[in-house]
């Protein structure tokens, strides 16, 4: 099963995609994991999504993917240097698994984005001076040094390739060659063992020979090699899928899309190739041809696509941090228990000092008096030991004396239990002062306990939040992994404007800026249409597409409200505003002689039909079309006729960015039965349709 592109696969894709990619502008770049990137392109045919997976593949994709909220460092670097620039050239380095994109603007020297599709893969950004700016991974081997600031060099070239080896060289080498022809062809052509075997099969030559080839066999092999070269040079590809099934005649392209995953997982889809493969057909595999190899690569690798995105890595890091925090909390709880025990013991020591106050006072007084009378320590110890033998109360509690520290050790029984406390008392201090030392130690432990408990509470709150965050991301990943593989929905022409369908089904479109205002009138205003405009400076041109039926009063109010909602009246926080409508023959982009119309403005001739007191309030709704979300924005009366999933807003104080996140969350919550909508409906989609600062009504 294919896990990466071969050199022939790459040649086929470069040939197929070159016309689409060259001349496309880079709108944005996203990095889904360490090696998986999506370049959003703008071409003459609309938006394109170029998927590059270092070490594996590149292709244009029709599948929607959830893009990360923030780009990693390498992706930021790519955006800095390549965003809003033009792809001017794409080529494969001979038969190497290396693709180079040249990207520039104007007549400036190009940047190079070098994609290595061999081994672990790499992506290297090279500046116009051929210096390396950045790469996915930095490495040095031999004379090649892939690090920032170094001169960029391609991987070492083999002596020959399919495009450079000459027929006379092959003929001379084959004259006396014996051994593995697969190995020989690999070294010559750089196509890999699969295609070397295919060429040998087409030439009816065994893979290993004990004797040199005959002249006829040698000529046959060289002829097949040159035929293979001609296929690649002329782009005479035959994209094929090889199945281990009896019949695929019932599988249409769309059925293939739905069944690809099960066919791969069941092992029934054996391989895909840009050329016909006698090698596969001889195994009894069923072959089905396709027009586009990119189509096959897109579906095939989307099924196999590594789901370990940065979100997955983020969860892994969060789980690691959660484990660390749990260990910290556990250690803190152990410390709390220790502080609690230390406090209890020291407080008890202070208590037993007071419980034996008389005996201790007599013991300490005896020692102090003896020292004042110059009695030696040895004699004092001897006298105290004698008192202990005679069971004199103050002598019974005596244990020993430390001459250097002037401390006496005593054994004090707890009067409430059988516990014995061995204490060291300073003979220079009173009993109360000695007891207070223990009480102070108890208080110190209690303060430590209190601080530890506060820290534990803080960490437990933090832990709960971290667990919730990780669980939420995991749930999202799980939902997305269970979502069907659905193609990206292609936008209809009117979705590039503000638009909605009225309650009776009339299409209404509005300009998003001065340029689209003019485009609407020039290209789309037709004889049966109506032109609407808010009766205020700073408003979009709005067209109701006619179908021979007059709009109802409700529809007129819906369209007029739509026109006023996207006007400056919203930013001024009006509650209502007026609008008017006219026929298409009353609208002109040309000013009368001696007058001037600003860009996006129009001249209206004749009588205007007014719609008064139009409420400034719109609904953002999600219409489910072919199991995909379509965002429609208009008056609530119209939107609720087409979907049950919507949010209503009016002018308010919440910024567009703040509100877009909230509305996006509410719409995904309402459409939770379609978990893949989280990939297809983005916050940017919502932001685009917000007239200005707003508040949610319902």
């Amino acid at each position: 099963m294919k896990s990466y592109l071969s050199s022939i696969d790459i040649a086929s894709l470069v040939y197929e995609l070159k016309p689409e990619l060259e001349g496309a502008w880079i709108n944005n770049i996203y990095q889904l994991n360490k090696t998986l990137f999506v370049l959003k392109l703008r071409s003459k045919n609309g938006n394109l999504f170029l998927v590059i997976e270092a070490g594996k593949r590149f292709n244009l994709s029709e599948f929607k993917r959830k893009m990360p909220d923030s780009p990693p460092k390498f992706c930021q670097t790519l955006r800095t240097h390549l965003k809003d620039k033009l792809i001017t050239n794409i080529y494969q380095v001979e038969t190497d698994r290396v693709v180079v994109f040249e990207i520039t603007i104007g007549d400036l020297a190009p940047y190079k984005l070098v994609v290595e599709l061999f081994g672990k893969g790499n992506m290297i950004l090279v500046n116009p001076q051929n210096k390396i700016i950045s790469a996915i991974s930095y490495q040095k081997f031999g004379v090649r040094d892939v690090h920032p600031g170094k001169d960029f060099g391609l991987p070492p070239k083999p002596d020959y390739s399919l495009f450079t080896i000459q027929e006379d060289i092959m003929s001379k080498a084959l004259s006396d060659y014996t051994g593995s022809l697969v190995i020989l062809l690999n070294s010559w052509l750089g196509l890999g063992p699969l295609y070397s075997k295919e060429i040998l099969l087409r030439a009816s030559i065994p893979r290993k020979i004990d004797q040199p080839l005959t002249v006829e066999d040698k000529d046959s092999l060289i002829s097949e090699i040159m035929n293979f070269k001609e296929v690649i040079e002329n782009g005479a590809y035959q994209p094929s899928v090889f199945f281990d099934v009896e019949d695929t005649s019932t599988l249409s392209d769309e059925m293939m899309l739905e069944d690809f995953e099960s066919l791969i997982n069941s092992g029934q889809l054996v391989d895909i190739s840009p050329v016909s493969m006698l090698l596969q057909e001889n195994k009894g595999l069923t072959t089905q041809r396709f027009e586009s190899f990119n189509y096959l690569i897109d579906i095939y690798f989307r099924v196999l696509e590594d789901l370990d995105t940065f979100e997955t890595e983020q969860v892994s890091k969060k789980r690691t941090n959660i484990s660390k925090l749990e260990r910290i909390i556990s250690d803190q709880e152990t410390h709390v228990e220790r502080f609690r025990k230390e406090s209890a013991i020291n407080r008890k020591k202070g208590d037993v000092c007071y419980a034996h106050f008389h005996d201790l006072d007599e013991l300490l007084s005896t020692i102090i008096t003896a020292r004042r009378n110059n009695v030696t320590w040895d004699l004092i110890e001897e006298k105290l030991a004698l008192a202990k033998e005679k069971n004199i109360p103050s002598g019974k509690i005596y244990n020993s004396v430390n001459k250097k520290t002037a401390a006496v050790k005593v054994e004090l029984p707890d009067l409430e239990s059988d516990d014995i406390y061995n204490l060291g008392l300073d003979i220079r201090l009173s009993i109360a002062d000695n007891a207070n030392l223990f009480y102070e130690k108890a208080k110190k432990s209690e303060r430590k306990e209190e601080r530890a408990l506060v820290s534990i509470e803080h960490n437990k709150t933090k832990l709960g939040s971290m667990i919730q965050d990780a669980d939420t991301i995991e749930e999202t990943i799980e939902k997305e992994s269970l979502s069907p593989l659905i193609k990206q929905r292609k936008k209809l022409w009117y979705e590039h404007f503000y638009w909605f369908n009225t309650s009776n089904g009339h299409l209404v479109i509005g300009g998003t800026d001065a340029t689209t205002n003019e485009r609407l009138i020039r290209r789309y205003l037709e004889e049966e249409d109506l032109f609407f405009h808010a009766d205020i400076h700073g408003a979009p041109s709005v067209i109701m597409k006619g179908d021979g039926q007059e709009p109802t009063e409700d529809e007129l109010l819906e369209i007029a409200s739509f026109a006023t909602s996207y006007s400056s009246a919203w930013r001024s926080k009006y509650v209502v505003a007026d609008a008017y409508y006219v026929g298409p023959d009353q609208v002109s982009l040309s000013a009368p002689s001696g007058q001037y119309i600003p860009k996006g403005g129009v001249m209206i001739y004749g009588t205007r039909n007014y719609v008064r007191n139009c409420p400034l309030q719109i609904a953002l709704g999600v219409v489910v079309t072919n199991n995909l979300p379509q965002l429609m924005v208009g008056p609530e009366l119209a939107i609720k006729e087409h979907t049950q999933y919507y949010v209503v807003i009016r002018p308010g104080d919440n910024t567009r960015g703040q509100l877009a996140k909230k509305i996006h969350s509410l719409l995904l919550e309402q459409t939770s039965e379609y978990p893949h909508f989280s990939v297809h409906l983005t916050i940017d989609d919502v932001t685009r349709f917000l007239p200005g600062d707003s508040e949610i009504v319902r």
Side-chain angles (χ1 to χ4, degrees), residues 466-487:
M466 290 170 63
I467 292 173
Q468 186 176 4
D469 287 348
D471 289 345
T472 300
I473 297 173
E474 282 185 335
E475 287 173 9
T476 301
I477 293 171
E478 185 176 357
K479 285 180 182 178
E480 290 170 5
S481 67
L482 296 174
S483 299
L485 296 178
I486 298 177
K487 282 188 175 182

PDB file of all heavy atoms in Angstrom, residues 466-487:
ATOM      1  N   MET A 466      -7.610  22.549  33.674  1.00  0.00           N
ATOM      2  CA  MET A 466      -6.744  21.872  32.705  1.00  0.00           C
ATOM      3  C   MET A 466      -7.385  20.581  32.207  1.00  0.00           C
ATOM      4  O   MET A 466      -7.337  20.275  31.010  1.00  0.00           O
ATOM      5  CB  MET A 466      -5.382  21.576  33.344  1.00  0.00           C
ATOM      6  CG  MET A 466      -4.541  22.820  33.588  1.00  0.00           C
ATOM      7  SD  MET A 466      -3.060  22.487  34.606  1.00  0.00           S
ATOM      8  CE  MET A 466      -2.152  21.365  33.556  1.00  0.00           C
ATOM      9  N   ILE A 467      -7.993  19.830  33.116  1.00  0.00           N
ATOM     10  CA  ILE A 467      -8.656  18.582  32.735  1.00  0.00           C
ATOM     11  C   ILE A 467      -9.823  18.872  31.800  1.00  0.00           C
ATOM     12  O   ILE A 467     -10.031  18.183  30.792  1.00  0.00           O
ATOM     13  CB  ILE A 467      -9.129  17.807  33.983  1.00  0.00           C
ATOM     14  CG1 ILE A 467      -7.920  17.283  34.773  1.00  0.00           C
ATOM     15  CG2 ILE A 467     -10.051  16.659  33.597  1.00  0.00           C
ATOM     16  CD1 ILE A 467      -8.273  16.654  36.106  1.00  0.00           C
ATOM     17  N   GLN A 468     -10.592  19.925  32.131  1.00  0.00           N
ATOM     18  CA  GLN A 468     -11.733  20.294  31.292  1.00  0.00           C
ATOM     19  C   GLN A 468     -11.273  20.708  29.895  1.00  0.00           C
ATOM     20  O   GLN A 468     -11.875  20.309  28.890  1.00  0.00           O
ATOM     21  CB  GLN A 468     -12.519  21.432  31.943  1.00  0.00           C
ATOM     22  CG  GLN A 468     -13.801  21.783  31.198  1.00  0.00           C
ATOM     23  CD  GLN A 468     -14.595  22.852  31.923  1.00  0.00           C
ATOM     24  OE1 GLN A 468     -14.167  23.387  32.943  1.00  0.00           O
ATOM     25  NE2 GLN A 468     -15.768  23.170  31.401  1.00  0.00           N
ATOM     26  N   ASP A 469     -10.190  21.490  29.831  1.00  0.00           N
ATOM     27  CA  ASP A 469      -9.659  21.919  28.532  1.00  0.00           C
ATOM     28  C   ASP A 469      -9.227  20.713  27.706  1.00  0.00           C
ATOM     29  O   ASP A 469      -9.540  20.619  26.512  1.00  0.00           O
ATOM     30  CB  ASP A 469      -8.460  22.858  28.727  1.00  0.00           C
ATOM     31  CG  ASP A 469      -8.882  24.231  29.214  1.00  0.00           C
ATOM     32  OD1 ASP A 469     -10.092  24.514  29.185  1.00  0.00           O
ATOM     33  OD2 ASP A 469      -8.004  25.006  29.647  1.00  0.00           O
ATOM     34  N   ALA A 470      -8.485  19.808  28.334  1.00  0.00           N
ATOM     35  CA  ALA A 470      -8.000  18.622  27.622  1.00  0.00           C
ATOM     36  C   ALA A 470      -9.165  17.751  27.166  1.00  0.00           C
ATOM     37  O   ALA A 470      -9.171  17.248  26.039  1.00  0.00           O
ATOM     38  CB  ALA A 470      -7.049  17.818  28.515  1.00  0.00           C
ATOM     39  N   ASP A 471     -10.163  17.570  28.037  1.00  0.00           N
ATOM     40  CA  ASP A 471     -11.338  16.763  27.676  1.00  0.00           C
ATOM     41  C   ASP A 471     -12.090  17.379  26.502  1.00  0.00           C
ATOM     42  O   ASP A 471     -12.545  16.667  25.595  1.00  0.00           O
ATOM     43  CB  ASP A 471     -12.284  16.624  28.877  1.00  0.00           C
ATOM     44  CG  ASP A 471     -11.721  15.720  29.971  1.00  0.00           C
ATOM     45  OD1 ASP A 471     -10.754  14.989  29.676  1.00  0.00           O
ATOM     46  OD2 ASP A 471     -12.245  15.747  31.098  1.00  0.00           O
ATOM     47  N   THR A 472     -12.219  18.716  26.529  1.00  0.00           N
ATOM     48  CA  THR A 472     -12.939  19.410  25.455  1.00  0.00           C
ATOM     49  C   THR A 472     -12.235  19.213  24.121  1.00  0.00           C
ATOM     50  O   THR A 472     -12.875  18.918  23.100  1.00  0.00           O
ATOM     51  CB  THR A 472     -13.055  20.918  25.764  1.00  0.00           C
ATOM     52  OG1 THR A 472     -13.762  21.090  26.992  1.00  0.00           O
ATOM     53  CG2 THR A 472     -13.790  21.643  24.643  1.00  0.00           C
ATOM     54  N   ILE A 473     -10.895  19.377  24.124  1.00  0.00           N
ATOM     55  CA  ILE A 473     -10.134  19.200  22.879  1.00  0.00           C
ATOM     56  C   ILE A 473     -10.229  17.759  22.400  1.00  0.00           C
ATOM     57  O   ILE A 473     -10.408  17.489  21.211  1.00  0.00           O
ATOM     58  CB  ILE A 473      -8.666  19.613  23.080  1.00  0.00           C
ATOM     59  CG1 ILE A 473      -8.574  21.106  23.423  1.00  0.00           C
ATOM     60  CG2 ILE A 473      -7.859  19.332  21.818  1.00  0.00           C
ATOM     61  CD1 ILE A 473      -7.180  21.564  23.806  1.00  0.00           C
ATOM     62  N   GLU A 474     -10.154  16.806  23.334  1.00  0.00           N
ATOM     63  CA  GLU A 474     -10.251  15.393  22.957  1.00  0.00           C
ATOM     64  C   GLU A 474     -11.621  15.069  22.372  1.00  0.00           C
ATOM     65  O   GLU A 474     -11.736  14.295  21.413  1.00  0.00           O
ATOM     66  CB  GLU A 474      -9.968  14.506  24.179  1.00  0.00           C
ATOM     67  CG  GLU A 474      -8.489  14.386  24.500  1.00  0.00           C
ATOM     68  CD  GLU A 474      -8.230  13.402  25.626  1.00  0.00           C
ATOM     69  OE1 GLU A 474      -9.145  13.178  26.441  1.00  0.00           O
ATOM     70  OE2 GLU A 474      -7.109  12.867  25.699  1.00  0.00           O
ATOM     71  N   GLU A 475     -12.671  15.651  22.958  1.00  0.00           N
ATOM     72  CA  GLU A 475     -14.015  15.433  22.427  1.00  0.00           C
ATOM     73  C   GLU A 475     -14.133  15.982  21.013  1.00  0.00           C
ATOM     74  O   GLU A 475     -14.730  15.356  20.139  1.00  0.00           O
ATOM     75  CB  GLU A 475     -15.058  16.105  23.333  1.00  0.00           C
ATOM     76  CG  GLU A 475     -15.290  15.384  24.655  1.00  0.00           C
ATOM     77  CD  GLU A 475     -16.196  16.170  25.587  1.00  0.00           C
ATOM     78  OE1 GLU A 475     -16.771  17.186  25.138  1.00  0.00           O
ATOM     79  OE2 GLU A 475     -16.342  15.769  26.759  1.00  0.00           O
ATOM     80  N   THR A 476     -13.530  17.156  20.795  1.00  0.00           N
ATOM     81  CA  THR A 476     -13.550  17.758  19.457  1.00  0.00           C
ATOM     82  C   THR A 476     -12.811  16.879  18.462  1.00  0.00           C
ATOM     83  O   THR A 476     -13.293  16.627  17.353  1.00  0.00           O
ATOM     84  CB  THR A 476     -12.899  19.155  19.490  1.00  0.00           C
ATOM     85  OG1 THR A 476     -13.610  19.981  20.421  1.00  0.00           O
ATOM     86  CG2 THR A 476     -12.937  19.801  18.112  1.00  0.00           C
ATOM     87  N   ILE A 477     -11.626  16.398  18.876  1.00  0.00           N
ATOM     88  CA  ILE A 477     -10.835  15.530  17.997  1.00  0.00           C
ATOM     89  C   ILE A 477     -11.603  14.252  17.686  1.00  0.00           C
ATOM     90  O   ILE A 477     -11.638  13.784  16.542  1.00  0.00           O
ATOM     91  CB  ILE A 477      -9.475  15.193  18.644  1.00  0.00           C
ATOM     92  CG1 ILE A 477      -8.613  16.454  18.740  1.00  0.00           C
ATOM     93  CG2 ILE A 477      -8.739  14.117  17.852  1.00  0.00           C
ATOM     94  CD1 ILE A 477      -7.347  16.271  19.550  1.00  0.00           C
ATOM     95  N   GLU A 478     -12.259  13.689  18.713  1.00  0.00           N
ATOM     96  CA  GLU A 478     -13.022  12.454  18.521  1.00  0.00           C
ATOM     97  C   GLU A 478     -14.178  12.682  17.559  1.00  0.00           C
ATOM     98  O   GLU A 478     -14.435  11.864  16.670  1.00  0.00           O
ATOM     99  CB  GLU A 478     -13.549  11.952  19.864  1.00  0.00           C
ATOM    100  CG  GLU A 478     -14.258  10.607  19.753  1.00  0.00           C
ATOM    101  CD  GLU A 478     -14.699  10.076  21.115  1.00  0.00           C
ATOM    102  OE1 GLU A 478     -14.406  10.722  22.136  1.00  0.00           O
ATOM    103  OE2 GLU A 478     -15.347   9.029  21.139  1.00  0.00           O
ATOM    104  N   LYS A 479     -14.893  13.821  17.722  1.00  0.00           N
ATOM    105  CA  LYS A 479     -16.009  14.124  16.822  1.00  0.00           C
ATOM    106  C   LYS A 479     -15.518  14.261  15.385  1.00  0.00           C
ATOM    107  O   LYS A 479     -16.135  13.757  14.452  1.00  0.00           O
ATOM    108  CB  LYS A 479     -16.703  15.415  17.259  1.00  0.00           C
ATOM    109  CG  LYS A 479     -17.587  15.268  18.485  1.00  0.00           C
ATOM    110  CD  LYS A 479     -18.226  16.602  18.846  1.00  0.00           C
ATOM    111  CE  LYS A 479     -19.086  16.478  20.102  1.00  0.00           C
ATOM    112  NZ  LYS A 479     -19.676  17.789  20.484  1.00  0.00           N
ATOM    113  N   GLU A 480     -14.371  14.956  15.238  1.00  0.00           N
ATOM    114  CA  GLU A 480     -13.843  15.172  13.898  1.00  0.00           C
ATOM    115  C   GLU A 480     -13.369  13.863  13.278  1.00  0.00           C
ATOM    116  O   GLU A 480     -13.519  13.637  12.088  1.00  0.00           O
ATOM    117  CB  GLU A 480     -12.697  16.179  13.940  1.00  0.00           C
ATOM    118  CG  GLU A 480     -13.176  17.599  14.247  1.00  0.00           C
ATOM    119  CD  GLU A 480     -12.035  18.553  14.532  1.00  0.00           C
ATOM    120  OE1 GLU A 480     -10.873  18.133  14.398  1.00  0.00           O
ATOM    121  OE2 GLU A 480     -12.303  19.711  14.881  1.00  0.00           O
ATOM    122  N   SER A 481     -12.802  12.971  14.108  1.00  0.00           N
ATOM    123  CA  SER A 481     -12.328  11.693  13.575  1.00  0.00           C
ATOM    124  C   SER A 481     -13.487  10.805  13.165  1.00  0.00           C
ATOM    125  O   SER A 481     -13.353   9.963  12.283  1.00  0.00           O
ATOM    126  CB  SER A 481     -11.464  10.971  14.614  1.00  0.00           C
ATOM    127  OG  SER A 481     -12.237  10.578  15.736  1.00  0.00           O
ATOM    128  N   LEU A 482     -14.660  10.995  13.801  1.00  0.00           N
ATOM    129  CA  LEU A 482     -15.839  10.215  13.451  1.00  0.00           C
ATOM    130  C   LEU A 482     -16.627  10.835  12.307  1.00  0.00           C
ATOM    131  O   LEU A 482     -17.529  10.222  11.764  1.00  0.00           O
ATOM    132  CB  LEU A 482     -16.766  10.075  14.677  1.00  0.00           C
ATOM    133  CG  LEU A 482     -16.194   9.297  15.863  1.00  0.00           C
ATOM    134  CD1 LEU A 482     -17.155   9.368  17.042  1.00  0.00           C
ATOM    135  CD2 LEU A 482     -15.916   7.853  15.483  1.00  0.00           C
ATOM    136  N   SER A 483     -16.279  12.080  11.946  1.00  0.00           N
ATOM    137  CA  SER A 483     -16.997  12.772  10.883  1.00  0.00           C
ATOM    138  C   SER A 483     -16.680  12.125   9.544  1.00  0.00           C
ATOM    139  O   SER A 483     -15.569  11.655   9.304  1.00  0.00           O
ATOM    140  CB  SER A 483     -16.588  14.247  10.836  1.00  0.00           C
ATOM    141  OG  SER A 483     -16.916  14.873  12.048  1.00  0.00           O
ATOM    142  N   PRO A 484     -17.643  12.098   8.637  1.00  0.00           N
ATOM    143  CA  PRO A 484     -17.382  11.539   7.316  1.00  0.00           C
ATOM    144  C   PRO A 484     -16.400  12.412   6.549  1.00  0.00           C
ATOM    145  O   PRO A 484     -16.281  13.603   6.804  1.00  0.00           O
ATOM    146  CB  PRO A 484     -18.775  11.564   6.651  1.00  0.00           C
ATOM    147  CG  PRO A 484     -19.513  12.648   7.363  1.00  0.00           C
ATOM    148  CD  PRO A 484     -19.009  12.609   8.779  1.00  0.00           C
ATOM    149  N   LEU A 485     -15.692  11.776   5.601  1.00  0.00           N
ATOM    150  CA  LEU A 485     -14.794  12.533   4.743  1.00  0.00           C
ATOM    151  C   LEU A 485     -15.644  13.255   3.712  1.00  0.00           C
ATOM    152  O   LEU A 485     -16.145  12.650   2.773  1.00  0.00           O
ATOM    153  CB  LEU A 485     -13.795  11.601   4.056  1.00  0.00           C
ATOM    154  CG  LEU A 485     -12.821  10.873   4.986  1.00  0.00           C
ATOM    155  CD1 LEU A 485     -11.935   9.946   4.165  1.00  0.00           C
ATOM    156  CD2 LEU A 485     -11.984  11.854   5.752  1.00  0.00           C
ATOM    157  N   ILE A 486     -15.836  14.554   3.903  1.00  0.00           N
ATOM    158  CA  ILE A 486     -16.723  15.313   3.039  1.00  0.00           C
ATOM    159  C   ILE A 486     -15.922  16.361   2.291  1.00  0.00           C
ATOM    160  O   ILE A 486     -15.100  17.064   2.866  1.00  0.00           O
ATOM    161  CB  ILE A 486     -17.848  15.985   3.855  1.00  0.00           C
ATOM    162  CG1 ILE A 486     -18.691  14.898   4.532  1.00  0.00           C
ATOM    163  CG2 ILE A 486     -18.722  16.857   2.968  1.00  0.00           C
ATOM    164  CD1 ILE A 486     -19.773  15.442   5.409  1.00  0.00           C
ATOM    165  N   LYS A 487     -16.192  16.463   0.995  1.00  0.00           N
ATOM    166  CA  LYS A 487     -15.486  17.448   0.191  1.00  0.00           C
ATOM    167  C   LYS A 487     -15.885  18.858   0.589  1.00  0.00           C
ATOM    168  O   LYS A 487     -16.973  19.100   1.082  1.00  0.00           O
ATOM    169  CB  LYS A 487     -15.794  17.239  -1.296  1.00  0.00           C
ATOM    170  CG  LYS A 487     -15.025  16.099  -1.943  1.00  0.00           C
ATOM    171  CD  LYS A 487     -15.265  16.121  -3.431  1.00  0.00           C
ATOM    172  CE  LYS A 487     -14.418  15.069  -4.138  1.00  0.00           C
ATOM    173  NZ  LYS A 487     -14.622  15.124  -5.594  1.00  0.00           N
TER     174      LYS A 487
END
